[in-house]
Amino acid sequence: MAVSTNVSFLLSSVLAITTLAASQTFKAQLAETKGMTILGGGVASLFFMFVLTAIGNLEDILMGKGFELQLIPEVAFALTLSMAVAGSIHRVSITCCLIFSLVILYFMNNISQKTHGVPEAAPTKVEKKKRR
């Protein structure tokens, strides 16, 4: 079920703040074992996804439909922010956050291309005429 851009911005912002608050609340538990530090990187990569969605929706609201997220300003900012959140948990969480965030970015791009991309033209079959 799709929601409007305004509602999506609000939801992604609230989820980003909630994820940030949860990661900072459970910082000690996330830094205890190896598995939990990996989970801390996963939580930070979810924060990346929510922040990137919020930024994209905000740009859509302010600059109009059709405005695309760019790699350098928006994605790099969201990735840096999420890696800082992961760094506040544990050093290993930074690396896990980077890997998980790149995987999330890949799948977000695929979904975006399928939803908003320009459809490819169907290949036409070229028939050769026989010479007699």
Side-chain angles (χ1 to χ4, degrees), residues 10-79:
L10 183 66
L11 285 174
S12 58
S13 299
V14 167
L15 286 171
I17 293 169
T18 304
T19 307
L20 176 64
S23 69
Q24 296 306 305
T25 302
F26 298 109
K27 183 189 322 189
Q29 290 86 355
L30 288 171
E32 280 182 1
T33 62
K34 291 178 184 178
M36 292 300 279
T37 56
I38 294 172
L39 181 64
V43 170
S45 66
L46 288 176
F47 177 74
F48 165 76
M49 181 180 67
F50 295 139
V51 167
L52 191 62
T53 304
I55 290 171
N57 287 327
L58 182 63
E59 286 183 348
D60 228 21
I61 292 168
L62 297 178
M63 298 178 200
K65 293 283 184 190
F67 195 82
E68 297 177 359
L69 290 174
Q70 301 295 317
L71 180 64
I72 295 302
E74 296 94 0
V75 175
F77 173 73
L79 188 60

Side-chain angles (χ1 to χ4, degrees), residues 89-108:
I89 297 170
H90 195 274
R91 293 183 308 212
V92 175
S93 296
I94 298 172
T95 306
C96 295
C97 173
L98 176 65
I99 294 168
F100 295 151
S101 295
L102 291 177
V103 170
I104 286 174
L105 186 63
Y106 173 77
F107 284 109
M108 285 176 76

